[in-house]
Amino acid sequence: MSTYTLEAGRSNLQESIRRSYGLIQSVAVLLVLVVVMSIVSPRFASVINIQNLMAQMSAALIVAAGMTIVMINGEFDISVGAVLALTASIAGKLMPEIGITATFALALVVGPLFGRFAGVVVTRFGIPSFITTLGTMMIARSLAFVTTQGQVVSNVPEAFRILGLGRPLGIPMPFIIAILTILAGYVLLNHTAFGKKVYAIGANRNVAALSGINVDRIKIICLMICGLCASFAGMVLLARIGSIQADTARGLEFEVIAGVVIGGVSLSGGQGNILRVIIGVVVIALIRNFLNLARIDIFWQDFATGSIILAAVLLDALQKRIAGSR
Amino acid sequence: MGEPALVCKDVKKTFGSIKALRSASFTLEKGQVVGLVGENGAGKSTLLKILAGVYQADSAESIKLLGKDYSPHNAIDALQRGIVTIHQDINLVEGMTVAENIFLNNEPTGRLGVLTAGSLNAKAQELLDHYGIEVDASQQVSRLPNDLKKMVQIIKAMTWKPTILLMDEPTSSLTATEVDVVLRLIAELSRRGVAIVFVSHYLSEVFRICDTITILRDGQTIANLQKESTSITEVVQHMLGRKLVEVDARSKRGAVASNDVLLSVRELSVSGMLHDVSFDLHRGEILGFTGLTGSGLTELAKTLFGVEGYQPSKGTIAIRGDVKSRWNPGKAIQEGVALLTGDRLREGILPDFTIAENVGLPIIGKLRNALGLLSRSKIDAMGTRCVRELNVKAPSAHVPIRTLSGGNQQKVLIAKWLETRPQIFILDDPTVGIDVGSKDEIRKIIERIASEGVGVIIISTEMPDIEKLCDRAIVMFRGSIVGEFAGAQLEHNRILETSVSGRKAA
Ligand SMILES: Nc1ncnc2c1ncn2[C@@H]1O[C@H](COP(=O)(O)OP(=O)(O)OP(=O)(O)O)[C@@H](O)[C@H]1O
Ligand SMILES: [Mg+2]
């Protein structure tokens, strides 16, 4: 018995090292990336550029919090970009009329409504979430165009814009909000019963159901949370830019999914660490920024990002295979 | 006899800080059957996995295959050298048909190198029929009950034409008839010169078919015995390192069962699975259910627990007199019902969750601290208690459950349901993969909770479980109840006869 406790101490340490191995690795990749970029492009490391970067990636980070929860649960939500745009469009229109608070309250209902609708379709009729949210994506995008009538919506009250333009300690407010959102996601996933259920369903929905977990309910809630994040990101974006167009954030869903996957969340669900997702999203944003600074032809930019995503996913699969055969 | 088929000397293997094998040695002669036995976590599966190329040994004085050095780098390596393994866990592809599974990566090529689904099915069917297994080759594996999956896994191994066959608990969760098929198959193969390693917790089977017996304890070979010169008692003593306290066959607990009806089932039918099943379960009663494959035992358990896809088409389930409608596992757990499922891998464990997290899953909502957040300390305390009380061999409750041996995973699952403090505890094949010593411990636990008033339903095809433990046994046949035995009537010959014939013996 006594030898066991001794060994247990050591193996716990090893286990935690093994577990954070992925995290250490991604931090390393990030650092290398930053160093290389600052050497290649001196403008990269400037304070202004870093601040811009932080502000720019905040919407993706907020959305990634929700996406991580949905993907750990074993589903996808590709309607996030469209829901973001719809929310911001509605808010942009309403705010001058009904004021900031009321608009906020209404806007934050948009995403959860879409999430709930998709969730019910997914659970009740067994339609894959990828397809279901493709449908809701198109609906949301169309409604955004209807709302704005294809015009740019501006005249957002100045008081509201503090949310997007404030810079406490030089850090852009949207970035702070984004990090807080991720931290909230962290607490939810790792320190609540709900979070454990999310992981359990993603790992094996049969086992979860047989343990008395209401699988459908949790799935619907996950999609609602993701919708909430999308709407929230829309509000933060509106505050930062001060205006909105219906086709804002097109393709955001894939950028976010890519970040989440690079952040180590399993495509099949059940595994992943939301803190590591931050790094995934940052990596994608850095690469985009770098391609801009290096004046790479815009038409080639997606090619580069796509290749990097593929490389990351392949590397992950390779590591899993090696670990599995050991 | 010539040179031995396989010789292992001083094989060592560690996982992190855990010494799974300290020094394992045995010799396998051509055409012989070696029985490899030992407690849960003794290292049996690890040894077989090394021979199968799944793991690499840390070191070994020598492993020789037909006199040549042997250290397979992967599973394909091993297969190419004629070593075929039937692993402890069923590893079929659920979404494929039986035929596709049987010939996966080993397609019998037609004349043009192509093979139609039709001829694949025909070939598979031929094999199944040859071994007398009643399965349609074109059926999806996911639809099969556990025992038939196991049989398919065994047939699949045959298609590789082994010269050495490694079998890790091949007969667990099989019915008596199927066990006979497997044991006859082993005898037949060994007559043809195939050398076989047979891992099992069923010592009667080991004694029936093995020539020599190798005993592992804590990763070490304790003894290599000739069957003729040893006995079950001696083997058990070697396995445990102590004498097993003799439990008499019927340590009947006296009449504990009361007249209070806990669960009352009336004319319960599920289309295509159950027909007019009616019975009562009383407080403190241990009620056994048994029958052949396809008799509807697992289906009955799932229906009682409200599992999705098992909605009654007719009949009622009443708990303490209340008829339940829109029944589901969540509600069942709230009403004090627990179900230990028969399929550990697919319906039991979450492999990457720790022991403690697996145990806490059904009551996760209750494990909160003052802030309403998940209470690590409560989860930890519960996990640690379970590891201790059920003697789970693990360094702590915080290791992923996949690192445990099969039998130890099963113990954790039993603990998981005990933690819900059930009033009605349904156990489907509870002692599958569990060693002799632990089996008695688990029987004692079941007797204890019954004496505290819990109603227990045990679904098992193992007569000793039914005979020793149950107050009453119900036999099912093709989804219907065909016989009930209690008292002196509860005796395995009668039960078996009823199971097979579908009629109660006079
Ligand atoms: N992948 C792994 N990682 C860590 N520990 C492991 C791993 N596989 C096995 N072990 C440990 O090695 C020991 C031997 O396990 P093994 O599966 O060989 O036992 P077994 O004799 O087959 O037991 P059972 O009768 O329960 O199947 C156990 O203590 C187990 O916890
Ligand atoms: Mg084993």
Side-chain angles (χ1 to χ4, degrees), chain B residues 213-346:
Chain B
I213 298 171
T214 296
I215 297 148
L216 275 182
R217 194 203 308 154
D218 282 336
Q220 216 154 0
T221 298
I222 294 294
N224 288 303
L225 305 170
Q226 292 297 317
K227 180 180 67 182
E228 287 76 28
S229 55
T230 183
S231 66
I232 290 196
T233 333
E234 189 189 5
V235 169
V236 171
Q237 201 169 334
H238 279 303
M239 276 171 63
L240 306 183
R242 62 183 155 86
K243 253 209 162 94
L244 188 64
V245 192
E246 197 62 52
V247 275
D248 61 83
R250 262 169 193 267
S251 61
K252 277 290 160 193
R253 312 161 296 130
V256 194
S258 71
N259 286 329
D260 289 0
V261 176
L262 267 181
L263 171 72
S264 175
V265 175
R266 288 293 172 269
E267 294 179 356
L268 189 65
S269 304
V270 177
S271 47
M273 298 180 200
L274 299 175
H275 315 291
D276 288 332
V277 172
S278 302
F279 68 93
D280 286 335
L281 174 72
H282 301 93
R283 265 175 65 83
E285 184 178 32
I286 304 179
L287 175 57
F289 273 86
T290 188
L292 302 180
T293 318
S295 56
L297 297 172
T298 297
E299 289 81 355
L300 174 62
K302 288 190 171 166
T303 310
L304 293 179
F305 199 57
V307 176
E308 204 182 328
Y310 295 84
Q311 270 71 35
S313 49
K314 188 181 129 217
T316 56
I317 300 170
I319 295 193
R320 288 177 226 99
D322 288 339
V323 173
K324 300 298 173 191
S325 58
R326 310 195 59 162
W327 198 223
N328 62 45
K331 284 187 190 167
I333 292 169
Q334 266 170 19
E335 295 277 345
V337 185
L339 169 65
L340 174 76
T341 47
D343 189 340
R344 186 176 66 232
L345 215 58
R346 263 166 219 92

Side-chain angles (χ1 to χ4, degrees), chain B residues 118-175:
Chain B
S119 62
L120 197 68
N121 282 341
K123 274 209 156 49
Q125 197 64 55
E126 207 174 291
L127 270 172
L128 292 164
D129 294 345
H130 175 77
Y131 294 108
I133 300 161
E134 286 177 35
V135 172
D136 177 2
S138 62
Q139 208 180 356
Q140 262 213 349
V141 161
S142 59
R143 304 253 171 76
L144 296 182
N146 262 344
D147 56 329
L148 289 179
K149 284 184 190 167
K150 197 81 216 181
M151 292 306 280
V152 170
Q153 197 187 350
I154 292 170
I155 299 306
K156 178 179 162 70
M158 292 306 107
T159 65
W160 289 95
K161 310 239 177 323
T163 52
I164 293 181
L165 182 61
L166 310 176
M167 307 174 98
D168 198 349
E169 302 193 30
T171 59
S172 63
S173 73
L174 296 188
T175 61

